[in-house]
Amino acid sequence: MYRHLQRRLADAIRDFLRRTYSLELADIVIEQPPKVELGEYALPLAFELAKKLRKAPRKIAEEIVSGLGPVEGFDKLEVAGAGYINARVSRAAMAAELAADQKLPAAIPPGKILVEHSSINPNKAAHIGHLRNAILGDTFVRLLRFAGREVDVQNYIDNTGVQVADVVVGFIHIEKKSRAEIEALARQPRFDYYCWDLYARVSQWYAEDKQNLQARRQTLHGIEDAASETAAVADLISTAVLRRHLETMDRLDIEYDFLPRESEILHLHFWDAAFTKLKDSGVLTFENDGKNKGCWVMRRAGTASESSVIPVSSVVEESSEAEKISEKDQKVIVRSNGTVGYVGKDIAYHMWKFGLLGRDFGYRKFYRYPNRHDCWISATPDHKNAENDHPHFGGVAEIYNVIDARQSEAQNTVIEALRGLGHNEAADHYTHFSYEMVALTPRCAAELGYTLSDEDKARSYIEVSGRKGFGVKADDLLDQLIASARKEVDSRHPQLTEAERESIATQIAIGALRYFMLKYTKQSVIAFDFKDALSFEGETGPYAQYAVVRATSIFRKAGLDPDLFCGNDHVGTAAPAVPPGQSQAASNLSPTVLAQFLTGEQGNAIWELWLTAAKTSYMVDQCIATTEPAYLAKHAFQLAQLFNTFYHRHPILSEPDEKRKQFLLATVAVVRRELIRTLAIMGITVPPVM
């Protein structure tokens, strides 16, 4: 509702500027006044127009206000200060529409969006850093779907890289295990934990004698040969670990549609097809001398425009020094030994994503979620389990790739390659959704059993390292959060069954974890701490969940169904029939009655709560436009905070005035609905009690 009125106001202003001043403004900046009593929207427009129109900002603001005329949904516009325009909505009309949960039409761009996230190396257990990636990616998927977009969720599996090779080295060269023995271990419940420890041991083995690194090189070559025993062992290990990753993420209600694997990208010769296109278009050039002699390189992203990419013809002709790409500006894509680097394979993969490669995977079902949703995995088309009745993957309109900030250069190189190939529209619709790392507070590290030096204890956070075996496994973190929440639930609700208490503790723990990962902006380093995350006070998941539980309790005590009270529909389906004896009281509140309770000092405070509740769709738009889910977490906290203040100020069920009581109940129902809706987008459910 807030978003809809904002757009209506912007359209009216834009039309007025066109008619009156012959000005075309694509963007109309609209803010919110510092106090709700000043209005719901503030426009600094007059300051922007002052130079163009050669008039004082206040004079321009007065002309706009006097000439604009009535705008549907608004009571009036006012000039404030040196030239601000404050807009006041019709509170009663907006409240009535919000109470009825009216869904207003919105323009939805065409085309499917692909969100790639998690992309955990399938060589060991997932850790806390992977959880930030997955939670950010999953929440962004939920944001897009809430906005009406069609989304495919993909999880890229690098099953032929160094990390997998190192675990293969550990099994074969350190533990001397046969394929049959590895297969038996892979059937164990936490095979990924076994690999975690083995991976750290391999790193130590390399450090003991650099000659041991020869085993890695041999293993990498073996993995690339699909018919080799080494490749079979690598596939066995990576597939078993991948299943564990999916099980771990399923605990957080995180699902995927498709798992493209690097092995198929290699075996189906995706890179060969891309390599030909990149050479023919001049995006790649061959180096005849210098430190990159024998390599195929492209200009490092950000060093020059695509118009200065050297054509292939200049490689075979005598080139002047001015024509050459300096070595510092070169990004090696194909090494002198003929092997392609990570970025090269990524370019080919992204060309497939946009439907620009002319090749496709084979597909087979890999994992079925409890809700019967199938997750597919890549295969070669002639694979014995390849299936033809698969959904269509690839050929999307937009891509969001959730990957940490350290990969920025590689991501920019992919974008520049697309531009060099002439695919500017694809490059414009490719977004690197970057984020910073997750660390641990010293207190958290100590609680997990790690020995800390005095220097470590003095730090603000402790970095984790998978190669050293130092970190927090995702399942361990979830188990410990659930155990901590369970202690609280057991002490507060001993009358509940064990299954009920476990379910509630799990909802609280997952809500705490997801909220904690989302409340920090992407570019902030997170220092995780159990106590801070599980707190029932402050900006936490349990605090927001508790606000919903409190709101539900009010209706339970009143003998009313909150979802029916306002015709609420927080899951996107039709509202159920009203049972006998219960009326949807909020719909009986006339605009006149609503206006009566939304004016004056007390009314302003309650209106601020209604106005915040009206901003869910607006906040979703902001999160998508900025790729920043933290704004939604802030919205949930602000709404919960305002509601708790409202709850303590107004004795709702003992209110003697029946009309006012119905209004207060309507307020509770609206806030409860929007909090549930907001938390659901964040992947957080609400338990029946806290």
Side-chain angles (χ1 to χ4, degrees), residues 419-464:
R419 293 198 188 283
L421 289 166
H423 302 303
N424 287 317
E425 185 176 358
D428 290 342
H429 289 92
Y430 179 80
T431 301
H432 173 202
F433 189 118
S434 67
Y435 65 95
E436 278 294 346
M437 69 174 180
V438 181
L440 307 175
T441 63
R443 177 173 64 187
C444 181
E447 288 176 4
L448 288 165
Y450 291 107
T451 302
L452 304 179
S453 65
D454 290 338
E455 184 182 354
D456 288 335
K457 293 175 184 177
R459 293 176 179 172
S460 56
Y461 60 82
I462 308 293
E463 291 188 38
V464 299

Side-chain angles (χ1 to χ4, degrees), residues 150-281:
E150 182 184 3
V151 186
D152 267 356
V153 186
Q154 296 190 10
N155 177 3
Y156 181 79
I157 310 301
D158 182 2
N159 61 337
T160 66
V162 170
Q163 289 79 6
V164 171
D166 283 348
V167 177
V168 174
V169 167
F171 278 115
I172 294 175
H173 294 272
I174 297 178
E175 298 202 330
K176 312 293 184 183
K177 293 195 181 294
S178 67
R179 179 175 170 182
E181 289 173 319
I182 298 170
E183 191 168 1
L185 281 170
R187 289 194 291 268
Q188 298 302 309
R190 289 201 165 178
F191 176 65
D192 53 336
Y193 277 44
Y194 189 101
C195 292
W196 175 288
D197 295 332
L198 182 58
Y199 183 62
R201 286 169 56 198
V202 172
S203 296
Q204 294 170 359
W205 188 64
Y206 290 151
E208 290 167 4
D209 187 346
K210 296 301 181 184
Q211 291 299 315
N212 291 336
L213 286 168
Q214 183 62 29
R216 173 193 279 175
R217 288 188 284 271
Q218 293 171 349
T219 301
L220 281 169
H221 283 296
I223 288 174
E224 291 188 4
D225 179 4
S228 72
E229 178 71 8
T230 302
V233 170
D235 182 65
L236 168 65
I237 294 168
S238 62
T239 301
V241 172
L242 173 57
R243 286 190 181 276
R244 283 290 304 120
H245 289 170
L246 297 188
E247 291 167 356
T248 299
M249 295 306 167
D250 196 16
R251 297 180 69 184
L252 290 160
D253 196 23
I254 295 174
E255 298 182 357
Y256 310 94
D257 299 312
F258 179 49
L259 310 171
R261 297 190 299 180
E262 186 164 303
S263 54
E264 276 72 48
I265 289 178
L266 291 172
H267 300 152
L268 293 172
H269 305 291
F270 276 24
W271 166 246
D272 293 344
F275 191 27
T276 298
K277 293 177 184 288
L278 291 163
K279 288 188 294 183
D280 290 349
S281 63

